[in-house]
């Protein structure tokens, strides 16, 4: 409701392709040097890939089903050593891809590992632990926690089944029907992963840790 009264805080520049054609996906990937990747799987089967999100910039993302020609395009991307692939907890995604017969090649970066290097966990006092219980519960290295730590003006987009998140979606993305909220959620995941990597790369470089991270 607050965002509806002040729509200027909503990012209207995002280009989210939730039902793209195969030619649109091929063209976008062919022109991209870096692609953020994220998969959605059932909770009970982490090797069963439903959809794949691909962000080619901080403002443009595609969400495709893991089937048919779309599966072939994503597989080609993963195997292309000239393309840099990034993901948050990317080991999870790569394990699922490998279980489906696709092994990634080339430069691949995990924003979770970069976060662990930049923000090593510290023991908390009892006061800090009590304070944390009263705030939004997010794991220290979750994508949302890492992204909101360094990106200003971002809304919490996670938990697409949550009533509050769906209310936010309806205001921020009024043209997206509820039937596509899972795809919207996946698209926002890869957009934030792309933006998180940009921020982390600057922080790693500024702290003279980029070479250490890439060697890891």
């Amino acid at each position: 409701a607050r965002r509806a009264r002040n729509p200027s805080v909503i990012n209207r520049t995002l280009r989210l392709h939730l039902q793209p054609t195969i030619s649109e996906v091929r063209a976008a990937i062919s022109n991209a040097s870096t692609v953020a990747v994220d998969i959605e799987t059932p909770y009970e089967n982490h090797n069963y890939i439903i959809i794949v999100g691909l962000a080619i910039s901080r403002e443009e993302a595609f969400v495709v089903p893991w089937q048919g020609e779309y599966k072939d395009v994503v597989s080609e991307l993963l195997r292309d050593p000239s393309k840099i692939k990034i993901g948050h907890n990317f080991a999870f995604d790569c394990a699922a891809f490998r279980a489906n017969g696709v092994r990634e090649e080339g430069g691949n970066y995990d924003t979770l590992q970069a976060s662990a290097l930049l923000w090593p966990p510290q023991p908390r006092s009892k006061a800090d632990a009590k304070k944390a219980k009263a705030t939004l519960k997010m794991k220290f290295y979750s994508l949302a926690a890492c992204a909101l730590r360094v990106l200003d003006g971002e809304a919490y987009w996670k938990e697409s089944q949550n009533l509050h998140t769906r209310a936010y979606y309806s205001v921020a993305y009024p043209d997206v029907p509820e039937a596509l909220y899972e795809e919207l959620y996946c698209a926002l995941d890869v957009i934030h992963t792309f933006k998180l990597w940009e921020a982390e790369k600057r922080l790693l470089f500024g702290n003279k840790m980029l070479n250490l991270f890439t060697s890891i």
Side-chain angles (χ1 to χ4, degrees):
R2 286 194 299 272
R3 286 178 177 270
R5 289 193 293 270
N6 183 19
S8 63
V9 300
I10 296 174
N11 188 345
R12 299 295 190 190
T13 64
L14 295 184
R15 300 185 298 280
L16 306 179
H17 310 276
L18 306 184
Q19 293 182 314
T21 65
I22 192 67
S23 59
E24 289 174 332
V25 179
R26 284 189 183 278
I29 291 177
S30 66
N31 294 321
S33 59
T34 301
V35 182
V37 181
D38 182 58
I39 64 173
E40 296 300 328
T41 66
Y43 182 79
E44 66 278 2
N45 185 355
H46 293 166
N47 292 332
Y48 184 79
I49 302 173
I50 303 172
I51 54 177
V52 182
L54 306 166
I56 62 171
S57 73
R58 61 187 291 116
E59 293 188 336
E60 186 167 16
F62 297 77
V63 179
V64 301
W66 180 248
Q67 58 186 359
E69 290 186 86
Y70 294 102
K71 179 179 178 180
D72 295 338
V73 170
V74 175
S75 299
E76 291 169 11
L77 165 68
L78 294 170
R79 294 187 177 115
D80 187 345
S82 69
K83 305 288 188 184
I84 296 174
K85 280 78 69 176
I86 55 178
H88 193 78
N89 192 16
F90 203 33
F92 174 91
D93 303 72
C94 290
F97 285 130
R98 291 178 184 183
N100 283 266
V102 182
R103 179 174 289 273
E104 72 289 348
E105 302 290 343
N108 305 312
Y109 298 110
D110 191 333
T111 51
L112 187 151
Q113 299 297 335
S115 298
L117 196 58
L118 288 165
W119 303 289
Q122 300 291 328
R124 294 188 300 185
S125 66
K126 290 184 177 179
D128 288 338
K130 184 177 181 180
K131 182 180 178 181
K133 289 182 179 179
T135 61
L136 184 65
K137 293 182 179 179
M138 289 190 288
K139 293 181 180 179
F140 190 72
Y141 289 126
S142 69
L143 173 58
C146 294
L148 298 178
R149 193 173 291 139
V150 293
L151 303 177
D152 292 332
E154 298 290 334
Y156 183 71
W157 73 96
K158 287 286 196 177
E159 301 176 75
S160 60
Q161 297 301 320
N162 185 293
L163 178 63
H164 304 91
T165 303
R166 296 176 81 84
Y168 164 63
Y169 285 176
S170 69
V171 172
Y173 309 98
D175 296 332
V176 177
E178 290 192 22
L180 292 180
Y181 276 4
E182 286 300 313
E183 286 81 359
L184 173 60
Y185 162 78
C186 186
L188 294 174
D189 262 8
V190 283
I191 286 287
H192 284 89
T193 299
F194 199 103
K195 293 163 74 171
L196 173 60
W197 171 238
E198 287 184 331
E200 289 183 332
K201 189 162 54 173
R202 290 193 295 269
L203 287 171
L204 289 167
F205 180 80
N207 286 283
K208 300 180 179 180
M209 299 165 68
L210 187 58
N211 289 337
L212 171 62
F213 174 70
T214 54
S215 65
I216 291 174

